[in-house]
Amino acid sequence: MSARRLRTSLAVLFLGLLGVLEAPAISCRNEAGRAVDWFVFYKLPRRQGKDFGETGLEYLYLDSATRSWRRSERLVNSSRSALGRTLHQLHEAHTAKSNNTAYLMYNDGIPKSMNYSRNYGHTKGLLLWNRIQGFWLLHSIPGFPPVPEEGYEYPSTGRRNGQSGICVTFKYSQFEAIDSQLLVTNPNIYCCSIPATFHQELVHMPRLCARSSSSKSPARHLTTLQSAQGKNFLHFAKSDSFSDDIFAGWMAQQLKTHLLAETWQRKRQELPSNCSLPYHVYNIKAIKISRKSYFSSYQDHAKWCISQKGTKNRWTCIGDLNRSPHQALRSGGFICTQNQHIHQAFQRLVLYYEDCD
C-alpha cells in the first residue's frame, strides 16, 4: 500500500471513529432522559381503583439509581416514559442512517398484526448499539414497539393485562455473546439494520435479520453478561428442541433455588406447580400493589420469577416464556440477576402462590 493510500485509509478510519465517539452514548434511559445501567418496569393491568387507574397505561419503575418500586407519574404510552426516552435513540438512529449504529427488533406478535408466528421463538425485544455500547430491552408486550419511522406508540392490545420488561446497557464487547443467544431463541425479527461493519464479530444477527440463518444452534445455552457498569447477569436461552418447561426443567435446577414464577395463567393451559425435582417451581396466583389492591395471574401477561423467600440464592429472572405445555415447546429466554433491590421489589409483589398437590 502506498503512503498516500495509507494516509487516506487512516483518515477515513479516524473520522469514522470520531463520529462514534462524538455521538451520545447509547444506553437505557430514565424518565429524565439520563443514562442508567439498567431499569425494570411493570405495567399494571387495566382495572378500576386508585392503585391501578382505568387506562391500563400506569406502570411501576425501578432502575440502578433507585432501591424500590416507584409508581411513575408518566403513562407508558408517553414519549417521556422510560420506554419512550430509551426508544427515542432508536428513532434518532433510524433518521441518521449511520453506518456506525445498528438495531434489531423482534416479536412473535408483530405490530399492527393479529397473526402470531409459531415458527419463531416466543420472544419479544429490541437491541440498539454502536461499536462503543448499546442496550438490550426484553419485554412481554405483543405488537411493541412500532417500526422506527412510525415514532413511539404503545399498542392498545397491551393495556388490558399486566406486562413486564428489563433494559440493560452493555458495552459492545458483550454483543457477540448476545448474538449467540439470539441464534438459540430464534426471534421473529420484523425490523432491523445491521451495517456491514458489524458482520465480522456478529455472525448470526445479520443472517437472522435476513431470515437466511442455516447455523445449527444448541438446544439451550447459558451465558454470563456484564452490564456497562460491571454488574453480572445470566441469560438462559432455549430452543424449541429443548422440549421442557424452562423454569422447572432448567432454571431452578441451574440456579439451585426454589422459584416462584409469575406468568400468564390461561385457564386449562397452565402447568401446575412442580415439586418433582430437587428445586421446585411454584405458580404465583396473585400480585399485590398495596394492602387493599391486587390482581390475579389471569390478568397478567408478565413473565418473571424470583427465588422463594428465605432461600440462600436470591435470583430474579425476567423474560418471555409462560409456564404452559405449549410454551415448553417454544424457544425463548430469561435474563437473571442477583441484585438485592430487584429481588426485594418483586418479592413484595407476591400475594400468594400455589403449592404442589
Side-chain angles (χ1 to χ4, degrees):
M1 180 182 290
S2 68
R4 183 177 179 180
R5 289 181 62 190
L6 178 60
R7 287 195 298 271
T8 301
S9 299
L10 290 174
V12 171
L13 179 62
F14 174 76
L15 290 173
L17 181 59
L18 186 62
V20 173
L21 293 176
E22 287 182 345
I26 298 173
S27 65
C28 306
R29 302 275 173 171
N30 64 15
E31 293 168 346
R34 289 191 288 269
V36 292
D37 195 44
W38 55 264
F39 71 71
V40 178
F41 72 91
Y42 208 133
K43 203 282 301 179
L44 301 176
R46 183 170 57 196
R47 294 186 63 192
Q48 294 185 357
K50 65 178 183 179
D51 288 321
F52 293 94
E54 299 181 4
T55 66
L57 297 171
E58 292 77 13
Y59 69 97
L60 305 178
Y61 175 82
L62 171 67
D63 68 26
S64 48
T66 61
R67 292 178 175 269
S68 60
W69 288 121
R70 177 179 61 81
R71 187 187 178 97
S72 176
E73 296 180 357
R74 313 284 184 196
L75 298 179
V76 74
N77 66 339
S78 168
S79 61
R80 298 174 69 186
S81 66
L83 286 175
R85 295 284 198 182
T86 300
L87 267 63
H88 179 68
Q89 300 165 100
L90 169 66
H91 306 141
E92 289 182 324
H94 174 74
T95 301
K97 301 187 186 309
S98 169
N99 287 331
N100 298 317
T101 307
Y103 57 85
L104 186 150
M105 306 164 71
Y106 59 93
N107 203 308
D108 57 305
I110 64 175
K112 299 183 178 179
S113 172
M114 297 304 293
N115 296 321
Y116 287 81
S117 173
R118 296 183 181 276
N119 296 323
Y120 297 93
H122 192 268
T123 57
K124 302 169 178 67
L126 160 69
L127 298 105
L128 175 69
W129 71 94
N130 58 26
R131 298 192 71 86
I132 303 300
Q133 68 177 36
F135 66 79
W136 190 5
L137 170 66
L138 298 87
H139 62 86
S140 66
I141 309 162
F144 177 83
V147 293
E149 54 265 33
E150 295 185 1
Y152 180 75
E153 293 180 2
Y154 186 84
S156 59
T157 53
R159 294 190 180 197
R160 183 176 68 176
N161 296 312
Q163 306 284 357
S164 59
I166 181 170
C167 181
V168 183
T169 304
F170 293 108
K171 295 296 186 184
Y172 179 64
S173 61
Q174 300 297 291
F175 277 78
E176 190 170 348
I178 295 172
D179 179 66
S180 296
Q181 295 300 93
L182 289 181
L183 176 66
V184 180
T185 60
N186 188 30
N188 184 25
I189 298 169
Y190 62 92
C191 186
C192 53
S193 175
I194 307 175
T197 183
F198 298 100
H199 290 194
Q200 185 172 353
E201 295 97 348
L202 308 181
V203 177
H204 305 301
M205 287 194 219
R207 295 175 182 172
L208 291 169
C209 179
R211 297 184 182 270
S212 63
S213 177
S214 58
S215 301
K216 185 177 180 181
S217 70
R220 57 180 174 173
H221 193 259
L222 174 64
T223 194
T224 300
L225 300 170
Q226 193 172 76
S227 72
Q229 293 185 8
K231 305 302 181 183
N232 286 333
F233 291 83
L234 292 182
H235 185 261
F236 289 81
K238 96 172 193 70
S239 72
D240 54 10
S241 61
F242 179 72
S243 54
D244 199 354
D245 171 37
I246 193 173
F247 296 90
W250 187 16
M251 291 200 299
Q253 313 315 311
Q254 180 72 42
L255 299 175
K256 301 186 184 304
T257 183
H258 301 313
L259 292 175
L260 309 183
E262 171 64 2
T263 67
W264 197 20
Q265 297 286 284
R266 302 178 71 182
K267 293 183 178 179
R268 295 182 297 278
Q269 294 187 34
E270 66 265 37
L271 289 173
S273 294
N274 188 329
C275 296
S276 65
L277 297 170
Y279 295 98
H280 307 162
V281 176
Y282 303 98
N283 290 331
I284 297 171
K285 304 302 290 184
I287 296 296
K288 62 180 178 182
I289 302 302
S290 68
R291 290 183 178 179
K292 297 182 179 180
S293 299
Y294 69 93
F295 58 93
S296 79
S297 291
Y298 295 109
Q299 300 166 298
D300 198 9
H301 195 254
K303 293 121 179 49
W304 55 270
C305 63
I306 57 170
S307 296
Q308 186 180 31
K309 190 175 183 178
T311 55
K312 181 180 179 181
N313 296 325
R314 297 181 180 180
W315 286 98
T316 307
C317 303
I318 301 168
D320 42 37
L321 285 169
N322 296 310
R323 293 203 70 235
S324 75
H326 296 297
Q327 296 204 358
L329 305 176
R330 298 287 297 277
S331 54
F334 281 81
I335 193 164
C336 303
T337 173
Q338 287 187 294
N339 182 285
Q340 62 174 333
H341 302 303
I342 296 178
H343 184 268
Q344 289 170 359
F346 278 94
Q347 182 73 59
R348 290 168 183 155
L349 295 176
V350 180
L351 181 60
Y352 68 92
Y353 57 89
E354 171 189 71
D355 207 342
C356 295
D357 295 331

